[in-house]
């Protein structure tokens, strides 16, 4: 298995594994995800920032990094002012998408959770996307999917490093 710059078309501008090909495919996928998220936001009367907040809260609820989402973490993650985060959370709470829960050990700390009823609404809306994702996954063997996962993890880490290196970007 090749894992370095051994691929004969990596240096070309138009090969199937070229940087250009990856950039085009990633932009297309990102555009489609954004369109679907925008449709959900519109159907729910939410702002695009609200959708970003919901995804961040959902991912934190799933325990991927072991830390509960707080308004402060959300502010940092979305690069918003405290006032903008408060307005966003107020909208999401009024719409029934999130719950704010005070920490039992330190009442000053507020944890943000995706509301169970809202998860069902989102699950129903995104069911076709889940089915499409599963259909695409079924086209690949497990060892191929592990490579895809490694790529996506590496890509996410690179993007996170860019954000940390230039917080104004």
């Amino acid at each position: 298995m090749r894992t370095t710059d051994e691929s004969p078309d990596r240096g070309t501008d138009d090969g199937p594994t070229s940087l250009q090909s990856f950039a085009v495919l990633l932009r297309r996928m990102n555009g489609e995800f954004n369109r679907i998220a925008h449709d959900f936001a519109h159907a729910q009367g939410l702002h695009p920032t609200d959708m970003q907040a919901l995804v961040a809260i959902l991912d934190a609820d799933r325990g991927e990094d072991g830390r509960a989402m707080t308004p402060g973490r959300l502010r940092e993650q979305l690069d918003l002012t405290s006032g903008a985060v408060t307005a966003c959370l107020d909208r999401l709470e009024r719409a029934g998408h999130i719950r704010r829960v005070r920490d039992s050990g330190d009442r000053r700390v507020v944890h943000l959770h995706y509301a169970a009823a809202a998860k069902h609404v989102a699950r129903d809306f995104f069911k076709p996307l889940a089915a499409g994702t599963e259909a695409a996954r079924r086209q690949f063997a497990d060892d191929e999917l592990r490579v895809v996962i490694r790529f996506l993890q590496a890509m996410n880490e690179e993007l996170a490093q860019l954000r940390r290196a230039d917080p104004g970007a």
Side-chain angles (χ1 to χ4, degrees), residues 7-148:
S7 179
D9 59 2
R10 267 193 207 214
T12 66
D13 289 335
D14 59 357
T17 61
S18 71
L19 180 59
Q20 180 66 27
S21 294
F22 269 77
V24 168
L25 291 170
L26 289 170
R27 279 194 304 267
R28 282 184 191 160
M29 186 173 66
N30 189 52
E32 291 300 322
F33 280 142
N34 285 340
R35 182 190 57 76
I36 293 167
H38 176 78
D39 289 349
F40 179 77
H42 182 73
Q44 296 297 307
L46 302 174
H47 297 236
T49 302
D50 299 345
M51 280 301 300
Q52 291 176 327
L54 278 175
V55 169
I57 293 166
L58 176 63
D59 287 349
D61 272 356
R62 296 182 76 211
E64 299 201 3
D65 70 357
R67 300 185 318 164
M69 183 57 70
T70 65
R73 281 188 60 215
L74 189 63
R75 182 186 61 74
E76 291 171 9
Q77 191 168 334
L78 300 183
D79 194 28
L80 298 172
T81 64
S82 295
V85 167
T86 299
C88 174
L89 294 177
D90 288 346
R91 285 191 303 270
L92 291 172
E93 191 172 43
R94 272 194 310 273
H97 287 281
I98 66 161
R99 295 179 299 110
R100 293 176 180 159
V101 178
R102 296 226 174 255
D103 186 280
S104 60
D106 184 347
R107 302 284 296 154
R108 296 171 296 176
V109 176
V110 174
H111 296 280
L112 306 171
H113 298 283
Y114 208 130
K119 281 183 187 178
H120 293 294
V121 169
R123 190 174 298 125
D124 288 345
F125 184 91
F126 290 107
K127 194 176 281 187
L129 176 59
T133 302
E134 183 56 27
R137 284 180 66 241
R138 282 194 304 265
Q139 296 176 38
F140 297 88
D142 285 348
D143 59 333
E144 293 174 306
L145 290 172
R146 281 190 279 281
V147 172
V148 171

Side-chain angles (χ1 to χ4, degrees), residues 145-160:
L145 290 172
R146 281 190 279 281
V147 172
V148 171
I149 289 168
R150 277 192 7 248
F151 171 78
L152 293 173
Q153 288 170 331
M155 193 70 216
N156 283 326
E157 183 54 36
E158 291 294 329
L159 292 170

